[in-house]
Amino acid sequence: MRVLMVYCHPRADSFSAALRDTALEALRARGHEVELRDLYAEGFNPVLSAEERGVYNDESANQAGIEHEIAQLRRADALLLVYPTWWYGMPAMLKGWFDRVWVPGVTFTFSEGAIQPALGNIKRMGVVTTYGSPLWLLLFLLWPDRRVIAGGIRRLCAKGCPIDWLYLTRMDTRGTADRTRFLAKVKARLSAW
């Protein structure tokens, strides 16, 4: 498969960076072609400008300046997101990537007032993330980032697109052994893709 991996963390020495590297190694060892987007390292601008918002629904103008990102999405057979969850949501830069790149005519179309998916090429999704909170709190809050990605974003991909949700809770109190076990879990799961 051609996998588009979108990574989002500002620090090169983070546990998220170790998760990225583990995922990249597992996918490549399986023979997949991986295109890595490191939003912070690339200096991706997550801000939807007034001009972009003004042409957001105009499919003849809304792709200006994001042609490279759109080509990556259209080439991908699978999408893997690697990010930390902060305050129950994805980092603002990743949210901005969705806001700026997942535009009408690229990821969805409007038909009879309803959104129709347009990324049928993406047949598999995965998320590798960490949470500072315990699982019970995520469930109590209806798991905000999972609802957005698994419930909304995934709907724009191929029908029945499976999603692998790999997560580590209570990140702030985990020791080396727990982190090592989670890295092994990520490697094993992505090695099966």
Side-chain angles (χ1 to χ4, degrees):
M1 289 189 298
R2 287 181 305 272
V3 181
L4 175 58
M5 181 190 300
V6 180
Y7 170 70
C8 190
H9 196 289
R11 295 194 51 104
D13 61 350
S14 68
F15 183 60
S16 288
L19 291 169
R20 174 204 59 211
D21 295 345
T22 298
L24 193 59
E25 178 187 321
L27 292 170
R28 286 184 174 157
R30 181 79 170 151
H32 300 306
E33 176 186 329
V34 183
E35 191 166 6
L36 174 64
R37 293 289 316 268
D38 184 335
L39 299 180
Y40 275 96
E42 295 170 15
F44 178 77
N45 179 8
V47 179
L48 183 67
S49 70
E51 293 77 19
E52 287 172 316
R53 185 61 195 137
V55 298
Y56 183 81
N57 290 312
D58 181 352
E59 294 180 21
S60 67
N62 67 2
Q63 298 177 31
I66 56 169
E67 295 88 354
H68 176 68
E69 288 83 356
I70 290 168
Q72 287 178 316
L73 272 176
R74 289 182 170 157
R75 275 193 302 268
D77 300 311
L79 175 66
L80 180 65
L81 306 171
V82 181
Y83 64 91
T85 302
W86 294 325
W87 285 102
Y88 313 107
M90 64 188 85
M93 186 169 286
L94 182 57
K95 173 65 167 69
W97 181 75
F98 284 116
D99 290 344
R100 290 194 58 225
V101 178
W102 289 58
V103 295
V106 174
T107 59
F108 64 93
T109 58
F110 291 107
S111 177
E112 299 177 16
I115 292 177
Q116 299 298 319
L119 279 179
N121 55 295
I122 296 180
K123 297 172 180 62
R124 183 166 205 145
M125 285 186 68
V127 169
V128 178
T129 190
T130 57
Y131 300 90
S133 62
L135 181 59
W136 71 263
L137 186 54
L138 291 172
L139 297 172
F140 178 76
L141 295 171
L142 304 177
W143 215 317
D145 66 320
R146 187 171 182 148
R147 286 177 52 210
V148 170
I149 295 170
I153 300 296
R154 180 175 62 153
R155 186 184 177 292
L156 304 179
C157 299
K159 186 173 183 167
C161 176
I163 187 166
D164 288 300
W165 200 276
L166 304 168
Y167 62 95
L168 181 67
T169 58
R170 299 182 295 109
M171 176 62 196
D172 303 329
T173 59
R174 296 285 186 164
T176 303
D178 288 337
R179 292 178 189 201
T180 300
R181 276 192 294 275
F182 186 59
L183 287 168
K185 179 180 179 179
V186 169
K187 182 177 182 177
R189 182 77 64 88
L190 294 178
S191 292
W193 268 32

